[in-house]
Amino acid sequence: MALLFLIIILGASIGSFLTVVIFSTSTQETIILRHSRCAYCRHKLSLLDLIPMLSYLLRGGKCAYCKVRISWLYPVIELSTTLVFVLAFFLSALMSKNIVTEAIMFLCQALLLSVLLVIFFRFFRKTMR
């Protein structure tokens, strides 16, 4: 059960990073050595703001600083990544009896699914414009 909790935290963390990748690459901003900021007012985000699913719910889908509505894609991408990681965890556990093989399968599946999520949401964002 503790391992599942860690997978959920890992999925949400990777999902938060993938959100940055998806939104930054469309604006051609760098994702290296920069602080996350509000896309509208450019205010540096607090630690709570860096957890899209949680901050979106707590702040009513608006920026804490400028009150501009935040895209619903932020928490959706994070939630999707978390669910995909949990699914990969269970699939790798079902397919393997060896803990090392299971871990390698999980990491490979998580990496592949993360890349696919980035591709999907980048395409989805382009079609929404």
Side-chain angles (χ1 to χ4, degrees), residues 1-20:
M1 194 55 117
L3 187 56
L4 178 60
F5 180 72
L6 288 174
I7 297 298
I8 290 170
I9 297 298
L10 178 67
S13 299
I14 298 294
S16 182
F17 174 72
L18 294 182
T19 302
V20 171

Side-chain angles (χ1 to χ4, degrees), residues 49-106:
D49 298 324
L50 297 176
I51 309 168
M53 287 187 289
L54 184 60
S55 65
Y56 192 87
L57 292 173
L58 292 176
R59 307 214 193 275
K62 296 181 180 180
C63 172
Y65 311 101
C66 66
K67 307 298 184 217
V68 169
R69 183 154 283 297
I70 298 169
S71 171
W72 55 272
L73 280 176
Y74 284 92
V76 167
I77 294 167
E78 188 173 309
L79 180 62
S80 298
T81 309
T82 302
L83 293 174
V84 161
F85 272 50
V86 169
L87 179 64
F89 171 71
F90 283 118
L91 286 176
S92 60
L94 286 174
M95 290 189 222
S96 177
K97 301 297 182 212
N98 180 335
I99 189 74
V100 174
T101 307
E102 182 180 327
I104 292 170
M105 285 178 61
F106 168 74

